[in-house]
Amino acid sequence: MMTRIFQKHHRAYRLDYLLGRHLAKGKPDAREPKVLAGDPDVFETIETRCNRYTQAHFACVLSFEEELSDAKSQALAEEFLDVLLPGRHGGQFLALVVRHRERARQGRHRTGIHFLVSHQDLWRDRKVDVYWAARDRRRLECWQEHVNLREGSASPKEPSRARSLHVRTWPESPAATEFAEDFGKILSRYPLGAAAEDSEEIACALTLKGALGVRIDRTRAGHFRARFTAQTPDGREVGVSATAAPEKKADPLRKSSLRRVLGVRGFERTNAVFTTVSDLLEREITHAAKRHESRHGACPENLAATLARVREAKIHVPARPMLVVSDETGMGIPMMMPPEIFDGPGPTDHPGNHKTM
């Protein structure tokens, strides 16, 4: 799971996009949007008639590589709002939660949980700063990795998932993304950005595979970039951009707010890392609740439940087969081998987070 914040100019900031109203009349939305919390009509009415601020609301999404049930999505949505606004009272802040079931690669589906949170305190009629990156980024990123370790979800910080070549398409769609990966495989064969004379060879290789109008340049950060258009198998024309960032492969936590906390080893699925992330998350929520209480008040019961949820969480242990049948006698007689046992916690591990099989 990863968290993404949207600015005002992004389409995911708009209510119509979340609900699928931007499509032509009668055209079904393949994402199957479903409202998990809030009332879209009430949210839209208050935003248009009562909002006095330039940026009406905060918008973000929790993107899961896995497909989640409605009950699980709703539980995670409530937990996210409790971390975003620690100690919140019910009905104090207007929020809308919409679940999307999006197509992924190889015929699978993934889940996106979209949030719109109004910048207005309905009880005190004053502005609430839902998210300020310099202050709140580490808390949300810490909660993100806490959930990934607790639920066993895929994390973008895992070294095995770091990519030195980023390929994106527009308009975005799972089919177009999968199609663009073929061009990514071509580009990965070349030492991108190693020498200027490689540009002609790369452009020729892309053109032979169907790329049109290939342009090769560098970004403001100095990264090698190839941009072109191509036609998908279903006849649609899409734009493709491939940017090389080799430093991301060597240092997946280069821009992470948890880099100093996790250390040089980075993100690992161990009890020690889970304990570190849980302790940091508890401190971040406590500090945020104190700031929040001075302007908007706080609900002690809700805050206590949020902190208890963090303390009582356990790291996800993948299921393993308990018994292995093998022919060790050489006479065709199967023997039952004992189950594998996980190693005990290290000296830095928290004993309460160790699970005995």
Side-chain angles (χ1 to χ4, degrees), residues 281-283 285-286 302-312:
L281 177 59
E282 186 176 346
R283 293 197 303 268
I285 292 176
T286 303
N302 191 354
L303 179 60
T306 302
L307 295 175
R309 190 185 300 118
V310 175
R311 298 191 195 104
E312 297 169 2

Side-chain angles (χ1 to χ4, degrees), residues 41-51 94 118 120 122:
D41 294 332
V42 173
F43 190 91
E44 187 175 22
T45 300
I46 293 182
E47 288 287 279
T48 54
R49 297 183 181 181
C50 305
N51 176 65
L94 193 64
S118 176
Q120 189 171 4
L122 299 179

Side-chain angles (χ1 to χ4, degrees), residues 262-340:
L262 297 181
V264 294
R265 293 191 306 173
F267 181 86
E268 295 178 342
R269 293 185 180 272
T270 62
N271 284 324
V273 172
F274 184 73
T275 301
T276 300
V277 171
S278 298
D279 292 344
L280 177 61
L281 177 59
E282 186 176 346
R283 293 197 303 268
E284 289 287 331
I285 292 176
T286 303
H287 294 161
K290 292 179 180 179
R291 295 192 303 264
H292 187 80
E293 184 179 11
S294 62
R295 280 185 57 84
H296 307 283
C299 176
E301 295 80 8
N302 191 354
L303 179 60
T306 302
L307 295 175
R309 190 185 300 118
V310 175
R311 298 191 195 104
E312 297 169 2
K314 305 292 183 181
I315 187 172
H316 172 78
V317 178
R320 290 192 178 185
M322 297 300 295
L323 296 175
V324 180
V325 180
S326 62
D327 182 8
E328 293 291 338
T329 65
M331 301 175 61
I333 302 175
M335 295 183 63
M336 306 302 289
M337 303 300 294
E340 294 183 19

Side-chain angles (χ1 to χ4, degrees), residues 35-209:
V35 178
L36 299 179
D39 188 324
D41 294 332
V42 173
F43 190 91
E44 187 175 22
T45 300
I46 293 182
E47 288 287 279
T48 54
R49 297 183 181 181
C50 305
N51 176 65
R52 304 187 300 273
Y53 312 111
T54 303
Q55 192 164 355
H57 55 261
F58 163 78
C60 75
V61 63
L62 307 181
S63 296
F64 290 83
E65 191 178 81
E66 305 81 13
E67 184 176 5
L68 306 181
S69 64
D70 289 347
K72 188 66 176 179
S73 300
Q74 193 164 12
L76 286 172
E78 290 293 329
E79 183 179 346
F80 175 77
L81 291 174
D82 289 336
V83 173
L84 182 66
L85 299 167
R88 66 188 178 103
H89 290 272
Q92 184 178 9
F93 307 106
L94 193 64
L96 182 68
V97 184
V98 181
R99 186 223 63 185
H100 287 172
R101 183 174 181 265
E102 302 171 349
R103 290 180 296 174
R105 305 170 192 168
Q106 302 175 352
R108 298 182 295 105
H109 287 84
R110 56 189 178 91
T111 301
I113 307 176
H114 288 259
F115 296 83
L116 298 182
V117 183
S118 176
H119 280 160
Q120 189 171 4
D121 184 341
L122 299 179
W123 288 11
R124 291 170 173 78
D125 192 24
R126 62 170 55 170
K127 183 178 180 181
V128 54
D129 293 324
V130 179
Y131 176 81
W132 182 28
R135 180 191 63 193
D136 303 319
R137 178 187 173 191
R138 188 166 68 169
R139 184 172 78 258
L140 294 191
E141 190 174 356
C142 193
W143 178 81
Q144 168 187 302
E145 301 312 326
H146 177 83
V147 172
N148 289 334
L149 291 169
R150 185 189 72 196
E151 304 293 337
S153 302
S155 170
K157 292 182 175 56
E158 293 180 279
S160 60
R161 300 179 62 85
R163 296 180 298 169
S164 58
L165 180 68
H166 291 259
V167 182
R168 65 182 184 91
T169 60
W170 63 93
E172 297 178 356
S173 71
T177 302
E178 190 170 353
F179 167 73
E181 288 182 356
D182 295 334
F183 291 102
K185 294 177 182 178
I186 297 174
L187 291 170
S188 63
R189 302 170 189 168
Y190 298 90
L192 298 181
E197 54 268 19
D198 295 335
S199 299
E200 292 185 6
E201 185 177 354
I202 294 173
C204 182
L206 292 173
T207 303
L208 290 175
K209 289 296 182 178

